[in-house]
Amino acid sequence: MFFRHKFNTDKMCTPMLLVHGGAGSISDARVPGKLRGMKIALKAGLPLLMPSYEFGGVQAGSALDAVVAAVRTMEEDESFNAGYGACLNSDGNVELEASIMEGSKLRAGCVTLLHDIKYPISVARCVMERTNHTFLGGISAQKFALEHGAIQLPEGTLVTESARNALENFKQQQAEGKDTTYSPTELDESVKDRPGEPGTVGAVAIDAKGNIAVATSTGGITGKVPGRIGDTPLLGCGTYADNQLGGVSTTGHGETIMRFNLAQKILANIRYCNMSAQEATVTACNEMTERLGGTGGAITIGTKGDIGIAWTSKRMAWAYVRDNEFIHGIDHGNILKEPF
């Protein structure tokens, strides 16, 4: 029997934009930059989400435009692991990944293994809107990006000193025989002294028409083998949007998230178990870590604009705005509010 959901397109929803700035062993020194960066992301995305009044009528904002704008600002910020400041592979290079999806027609665009490209999330959107495909990778993705107006940066522009230091530390930990399986999202106490790294970024939004969109972007994990592909560009793992169920963006240890199919597990909890966005997200994240050991987190928006925020790693940066308050957190059990 097919699942059917009656969606009332005449009913206006309360718009919501929810962002995350990565999960893992985020150092205290990185916290201010992450909070500042997420606030900037919300300021970029929210105006595109809200209904505008033109010529006496109401024009609904766009969830898709909002998530792209939010993620692009974080791709410019070295406080995050996406674009500038991305993690380095074992050769010391940046390989970028991104995905985007909209929930009305389940359209999506995914890219991986991009080099020295500004705004990978815009390349993913271009794949969705200008091709008959969903996923492009490697040399072909690079060529496509440049043919469609992406900005090619000078080689090494995206590499930061902190990313180099993280790679050096990673290789030292390996040489000492310590377990680096989970990279920055590890639970292993033997690597507790590793410097905190920036995290994958993501945004989920629902607009006044009830359309849901999700965007996620990353540089992967420090010390990854060149050519490694993580969860971020994989639908159902790092990103998924469906107007009948909700939208999810995940972050954390990619191999774990891929094996568990975290985004789809969260939406399955909503669909089959009648869970709220929050309950579904908490349940899936906890089950993933209990079964596989790796850690991660997710942000979720349900069809009514309800939100879910959960993680099993040491920290996860997240934020949204409600009633002109900037509501955010990074530590378990700690929710902060300030004027927006």
Side-chain angles (χ1 to χ4, degrees), residues 144-331:
F144 172 84
L146 297 177
E147 288 176 347
H148 288 80
I151 299 173
Q152 173 76 70
L153 301 168
E155 185 176 353
T157 299
L158 300 175
V159 178
T160 61
E161 182 179 356
S162 60
R164 291 191 188 95
N165 292 339
L167 178 60
E168 181 180 346
N169 185 267
F170 177 87
K171 290 184 175 181
Q172 181 179 343
Q173 297 280 5
Q174 281 191 323
E176 294 172 357
K178 294 180 179 179
D179 183 5
T180 57
T181 304
Y182 301 132
S183 195
T185 57
E186 81 290 327
L187 296 177
D188 192 330
E189 288 299 310
S190 70
V191 288
K192 65 182 179 181
D193 57 338
R194 179 180 301 145
E197 296 186 12
T200 294
V201 304
V204 185
I206 185 169
D207 60 33
K209 291 183 177 180
N211 291 319
I212 296 172
V214 181
T216 314
S217 181
T218 191
I221 54 177
T222 292
K224 63 183 182 180
V225 173
R228 175 262 190 187
I229 297 171
D231 66 291
T232 292
L234 302 183
L235 300 181
C237 299
T239 296
Y240 206 82
D242 186 339
N243 284 4
Q244 296 183 357
L245 298 172
V248 181
S249 176
T250 73
T251 174
H253 184 243
E255 277 66 20
T256 298
I257 292 172
M258 282 187 280
R259 290 163 61 198
F260 193 70
N261 213 356
L262 180 57
Q264 277 291 359
K265 284 290 201 305
I266 292 169
L267 295 179
N269 286 341
I270 292 173
R271 176 177 179 177
Y272 297 111
C273 303
N274 198 31
M275 292 184 183
S276 66
Q278 179 63 23
E279 185 181 7
T281 308
V282 170
T283 299
C285 288
N286 286 341
E287 183 184 355
M288 178 184 73
T289 297
E290 288 170 2
R291 292 190 62 182
L292 300 177
T295 65
I299 56 172
T300 305
I301 291 182
T303 59
K304 297 179 180 179
D306 56 314
I307 64 173
I309 304 166
W311 67 98
T312 56
S313 42
K314 294 176 182 178
R315 282 175 159 170
M316 185 178 81
W318 58 269
Y320 64 94
V321 174
R322 179 171 286 162
D323 297 328
N324 292 319
E325 280 192 313
F326 176 52
I327 304 171
H328 59 275
I330 199 164
D331 291 304

Side-chain angles (χ1 to χ4, degrees), residues 21 51 58 85 99 107 123-125 143 161-162 227 261 266 274 329 332:
V58 179
S99 62
R107 296 182 303 152
V123 180
R125 183 176 186 174
K143 180 180 178 182
E161 182 179 356
S162 60
N261 213 356
I266 292 169
N274 198 31
H332 288 281

